[in-house]
């Protein structure tokens, strides 16, 4: 066998986790190869909700405008409808994805970027295309076969699916981003909790002009409850907008303890017509597929030199729209650390923080997504459909909520409370933005973790406490607005301080030279390059004006000083060296 191809990092998979990893590595100048068994990017619009954290990461990568140009904006996402069919009885609506006027300010204040809806069929080409432009070597039709690790690297065997040729790739590190049935995760023995295939679902992608049913109540999701339907128990189906208002995806359940249903175009069209409530609508079926609802998460993401990311390590239903977002964010966390280690800027110990920081996030989103499915139960209970198996009695119970009776009044109150509970699925802002890391890559300042004034799942609580995401606010530069996020990221460390903290700039330059890293220092105040136009940074920074906030390349706070110490260089050098797993020697001190 010929000598293997060599690279620093091999990425297996080109979905949201793999494509994002390629983009980040290419942007950071890390030599890498991507292999994927597919001949191109996603062919069905599976994941779609793109939350603020993901959009601001893509802003850091310089492709936010590309995302915005292709995505459906947030103002068309949020009138989530519960109904008996699109043409039928409307049971209720929930304002979702931050579109409620009372929640809009929370989202606007939290991030320079807005959430949007971007189907996976459009997101993946943006990620992969930008990665290729920046130097990624991407090999489609190339299937992962197996790997062997040693002290110095990983030898991976792959197969060219076009000609059957098998060859090896030698990498210093491997990222397994090969999806919810990850062979890489199996091969390296990552441990999992939970179980797979809790329930069965099917996707039906179709084209149909449904504008007359939905344009007046624009949303991404239309939930349809149809007692008596022959598939899916009580008949809860989902009509999901892919592109307004003529491309759609239906999600419909089936009993996965029985043989999988065979759905031809005629059967798929019947399901679509039933959910729409009008069998005269012309429908063109594009594809059908079956998939399982999972409740499974890895308790470790790393095995030696192999790291797994995305659906390979957190497997869950699409509730909350967390799947592709968390996958992109896994890779964002890992990529800068690999870049730092490979360049010699960090010690190997930095890579241990990937497990410590991302495993708790993966567990949280798996449990949250599955809990969101359970939270449909109170809606069914309020409507009276769980009290009987008789479809006619179920329909009668649903209609009874409009009666002028004490029982109907109670039913209406119960339904209102049940719909409010869905905020935990559709407006879980704290779950999306509120991660606070605890690891060796975070240097604490001795203060306790800040508490939560409001529900931590529903509301994001900005803080500069080390480990938290850098709070966003608008600053002024040359008369224009820039976000605090625009001062950070870009593959380097950033130090934010105030007018009395000008000595931090000298300290950062000296520490950066000592450790061979880049630290961009920004003094915020009157007459400086960046001005605190609205005094928002003064309210958010949680340190004195002479203090400093050190931000990691992934926009999380790595360390902070509450005030200017006697030796700012020594304090910053110590923090950076600990964060980077670079023990200080007598020479470096």
């Amino acid at each position: 066998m010929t000598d293997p191809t060599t690279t620093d990092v091999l990425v297996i998979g080109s979905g949201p986790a793999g494509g994002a990893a390629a983009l980040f590595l290419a942007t950071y100048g890390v030599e890498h190869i991507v292999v994927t068994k597919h001949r191109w990017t996603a062919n069905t619009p599976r994941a779609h909700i793109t939350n603020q954290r993901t959009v601001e990461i893509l802003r850091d990568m310089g492709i936010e405008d590309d995302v915005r140009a292709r995505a459906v904006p947030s103002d068309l996402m949020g009138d989530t409808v519960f109904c008996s069919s699109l043409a039928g009885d409307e049971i209720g609506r929930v304002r979702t994805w931050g579109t409620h006027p009372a929640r809009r300010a929370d989202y606007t204040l939290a991030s320079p970027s807005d959430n949007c809806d971007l189907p996976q069929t459009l997101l993946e080409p943006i990620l992969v295309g930008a990665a290729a432009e920046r130097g990624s070597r991407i090999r489609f039709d190339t299937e992962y076969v197996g790997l062997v690790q040693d002290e110095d690297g990983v030898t991976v065997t792959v197969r060219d699916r076009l000609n059957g040729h098998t060859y090896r790739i030698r990498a210093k590190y491997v990222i397994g981003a090969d999806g919810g049935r990850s062979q890489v995760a199996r091969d390296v023995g990552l441990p999992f909790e939970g179980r797979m295939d809790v329930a069965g679902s099917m996707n039906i992608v179709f084209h149909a002009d449904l504008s007359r049913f939905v344009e007046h109540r624009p949303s991404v999701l239309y939930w349809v409850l149809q007692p008596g339907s022959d598939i899916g128990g009580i008949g809860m189906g989902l009509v999901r907008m892919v592109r307004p208002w003529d491309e759609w995806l239906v999600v419909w359940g089936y009993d996965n303890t029985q043989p999988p249903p065979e759905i031809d175009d005629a059967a798929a069209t019947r399901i679509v017509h039933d959910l729409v409530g009008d069998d005269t609508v012309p429908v063109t079926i594009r594809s059908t597929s079956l998939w399982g609802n999972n409740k499974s998460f890895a308790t470790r993401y790393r095995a030696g030199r192999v790291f797994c990311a995305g659906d390979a390590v957190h497997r869950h239903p699409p509730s909350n729209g967390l799947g592709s977002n968390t996958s992109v964010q896994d890779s964002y966390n890992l990529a800068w650390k690999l870049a730092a280690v490979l360049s010699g800027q960090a010690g190997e110990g930095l890579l241990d923080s990937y497990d410590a920081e991302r495993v708790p996030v993966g567990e949280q989103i798996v449990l949250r997504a599955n809990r969101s499915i359970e939270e449909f139960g109170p809606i069914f209970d309020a409507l009276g459909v769980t009290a009987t198996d008789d479809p006619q009695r179920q329909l009668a119970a649903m209609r009874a909520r409009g009666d002028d009776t004490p029982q109907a009044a109670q039913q209406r109150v119960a339904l209102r409370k049940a719909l409010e509970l869905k905020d935990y699925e559709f407006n879980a802002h704290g779950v999306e933005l509120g991660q606070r890391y605890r690891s060796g890559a975070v240097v604490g300042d001795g203060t306790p973790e800040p508490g939560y004034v409001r529900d931590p799942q529903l509301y994001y609580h900005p803080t500069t406490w080390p480990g938290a995401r850098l709070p966003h606010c608008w600053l002024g530069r040359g008369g224009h607005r820039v976000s605090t996020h625009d001062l950070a990221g870009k593959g380097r460390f950033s130090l934010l301080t105030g007018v009395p903290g000008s000595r931090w700039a000298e300290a950062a330059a000296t520490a950066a030279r000592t450790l061979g890293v880049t630290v961009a220092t920004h003094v915020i105040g009157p007459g400086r390059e960046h001005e605190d136009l609205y005094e928002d940074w003064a309210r958010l920074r949680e340190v004195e004006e002479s203090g400093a906030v050190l931000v990691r390349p992934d926009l999380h706070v790595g360390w902070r000083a509450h005030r200017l110490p006697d030796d700012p260089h020594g304090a910053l050098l110590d923090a950076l060296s600990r964060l980077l797993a670079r023990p200080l020697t007598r020479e470096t001190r």
Side-chain angles (χ1 to χ4, degrees):
M1 185 176 288
T2 59
D3 291 338
T5 301
T6 60
T7 190
D8 283 342
V9 180
L10 175 64
V11 180
I12 301 169
S14 62
L23 172 60
F24 305 148
L25 293 171
T27 303
Y28 300 152
V30 176
E31 181 186 358
H32 67 283
I33 295 172
V34 180
V35 297
T36 173
K37 66 181 180 181
H38 303 294
R39 63 180 181 177
W40 185 230
T41 53
N43 60 0
T44 59
R46 299 183 292 276
H48 60 113
I49 298 296
T50 309
N51 65 32
Q52 286 181 295
R53 179 58 178 152
T54 297
V55 178
E56 66 192 23
I57 288 170
L58 301 181
R59 177 189 185 94
D60 181 34
M61 293 294 111
I63 61 171
E64 182 180 19
D65 288 345
D66 297 328
V67 169
R68 290 262 162 246
R70 304 301 303 276
V72 173
S74 62
D75 61 305
L76 296 180
M77 293 170 60
D79 236 3
T80 294
V81 173
F82 293 79
C83 56
S84 62
S85 70
L86 295 189
D89 181 26
E90 183 170 317
I91 296 166
R93 298 187 201 182
V94 177
R95 293 184 178 97
T96 55
W97 316 117
T99 57
H100 193 295
R103 295 302 309 273
R104 187 66 258 174
D106 292 330
Y107 286 69
T108 300
L109 290 170
S111 176
S113 304
D114 204 0
N115 51 17
C116 61
D117 190 276
L118 187 65
Q120 197 167 337
T121 44
L122 300 179
L123 173 62
E124 286 187 16
I126 292 174
L127 297 176
V128 171
E133 287 178 355
R134 300 177 190 187
S136 285
R137 292 184 288 167
I138 302 172
R139 302 184 181 185
F140 293 97
D141 286 306
T142 303
E143 185 174 11
Y144 166 77
V145 176
L147 62 81
V148 177
Q149 294 196 62
D150 56 50
E151 291 184 0
D152 301 317
V154 188
T155 301
V156 179
T157 302
V158 298
R159 178 185 299 111
D160 186 320
R161 300 184 74 185
L162 297 179
N163 60 25
H165 174 61
T166 298
Y167 60 98
R168 296 173 296 160
I169 299 175
R170 178 73 174 171
K172 295 175 183 175
Y173 299 99
V174 168
I175 300 176
D178 52 335
R181 306 281 177 180
S182 173
Q183 185 181 339
V184 176
R186 287 197 302 272
D187 288 351
V188 298
L190 294 187
F192 282 81
E193 292 186 6
R195 66 189 183 96
M196 300 284 282
D197 296 320
V198 175
S201 293
M202 70 177 73
N203 284 355
I204 301 170
V205 180
F206 66 98
H207 279 84
D209 181 2
L210 303 182
S211 54
R212 71 180 183 274
F213 304 111
V214 299
E215 200 166 22
H216 57 289
R217 47 183 182 179
S219 182
V220 174
L221 305 174
Y222 299 83
W223 293 94
V224 180
L225 180 60
Q226 291 188 335
S229 298
D230 60 353
I231 299 176
I234 60 174
M236 174 64 87
L238 171 65
V239 181
R240 190 198 110 195
M241 180 271 293
V242 177
R243 305 299 284 173
W245 304 107
D246 60 1
E247 186 176 354
W248 300 86
L249 185 152
V250 156
V251 182
W252 196 237
Y254 71 91
D255 184 352
N256 65 347
T257 65
Q258 302 297 318
E262 295 183 7
I263 304 296
D264 57 17
D265 283 3
T269 300
R270 179 177 61 81
I271 292 172
V272 170
H273 278 154
D274 284 347
L275 296 178
V276 173
D278 184 343
D279 61 8
T280 67
V281 174
V283 172
T284 302
I285 302 298
R286 296 302 184 191
S287 67
T288 62
S289 58
L290 303 180
W291 52 279
N293 282 304
N294 303 315
K295 187 178 182 180
S296 176
F297 55 89
T299 56
R300 183 163 45 84
Y301 287 8
R302 179 187 184 186
R305 291 177 170 268
V306 178
F307 303 82
C308 285
D311 289 353
V313 283
H314 36 81
R315 305 162 183 181
H316 54 90
S319 313
N320 288 77
L322 295 169
S324 63
N325 292 290
T326 307
S327 299
V328 170
Q329 293 156 29
D330 286 345
S331 295
Y332 192 55
N333 181 284
L334 177 60
W336 76 267
K337 297 172 182 177
L338 287 171
V341 170
L342 287 163
S343 66
Q345 296 176 350
E348 283 273 347
L350 175 63
L351 299 177
D352 294 335
S353 65
Y354 176 61
D355 257 6
E357 293 178 355
R358 296 306 296 176
V359 166
V361 174
E363 178 179 355
Q364 179 195 30
I365 63 114
V366 168
L367 298 180
R368 178 63 258 167
N370 279 275
R371 178 71 180 272
S372 291
I373 291 180
E374 296 168 7
E375 287 166 351
F376 279 103
I379 297 175
F380 303 150
D381 292 341
L383 291 172
V385 299
T386 53
T388 176
D389 294 330
D390 183 344
Q392 294 306 313
R393 295 178 65 185
Q394 290 176 332
L395 288 168
M398 290 171 60
R399 288 192 292 265
R401 74 187 189 282
D403 294 345
D404 186 12
T405 64
Q407 294 81 4
Q410 293 177 354
Q411 187 179 22
R412 291 190 291 271
V413 170
L415 180 60
R416 183 175 69 248
K417 292 180 178 179
L419 290 174
E420 288 173 353
L421 189 61
K422 296 309 290 178
D423 270 351
Y424 284 93
E425 177 174 0
F426 300 126
N427 295 300
H429 204 211
V431 175
E432 296 172 357
L433 293 185
Q435 292 91 359
R436 297 175 180 178
Y437 294 152
R438 296 166 178 81
S439 75
V442 173
V443 180
D445 63 351
T447 62
E449 179 180 359
Y452 297 95
V453 178
R454 300 186 290 179
D455 189 308
Q457 292 193 60
L458 295 181
Y459 298 96
Y460 163 66
H461 295 74
T463 177
T464 63
W465 189 68
R469 165 188 167 275
L470 173 68
H472 151 75
C473 70
W474 293 111
L475 305 173
R477 182 173 64 197
H480 298 275
R481 292 197 318 173
V482 296
S483 170
T484 48
H485 282 211
D486 298 328
L487 275 58
K490 301 169 184 63
R492 50 158 170 68
F493 288 91
S494 301
L495 193 71
L496 278 57
T497 187
V499 172
S502 299
R503 285 177 59 197
W504 283 112
E506 181 181 343
T510 304
R513 285 195 300 271
T514 300
L515 295 174
V517 301
T518 300
V519 182
T521 303
H522 302 284
V523 179
I524 301 170
R528 303 311 193 267
E529 183 181 6
H530 296 98
E531 298 191 52
D532 193 1
L533 295 176
Y534 310 103
E535 299 297 326
D536 287 336
W537 179 241
R539 286 183 280 267
L540 288 169
R541 67 180 183 235
E542 297 177 328
V543 299
E544 295 181 13
E545 198 177 10
S546 68
V549 177
L550 179 67
V551 186
R552 307 187 323 185
D554 62 354
L555 301 176
H556 275 255
V557 176
W559 171 78
R560 67 181 179 182
H562 285 264
R563 61 194 59 83
L564 184 71
D566 294 335
D567 180 14
H569 166 256
L572 182 57
L573 181 64
D574 179 69
L576 277 168
S577 64
R578 290 168 61 189
L579 193 157
L580 292 169
R582 293 263 306 272
L584 290 174
T585 64
R586 183 175 301 176
E587 291 74 19
T588 55
R589 287 184 184 277

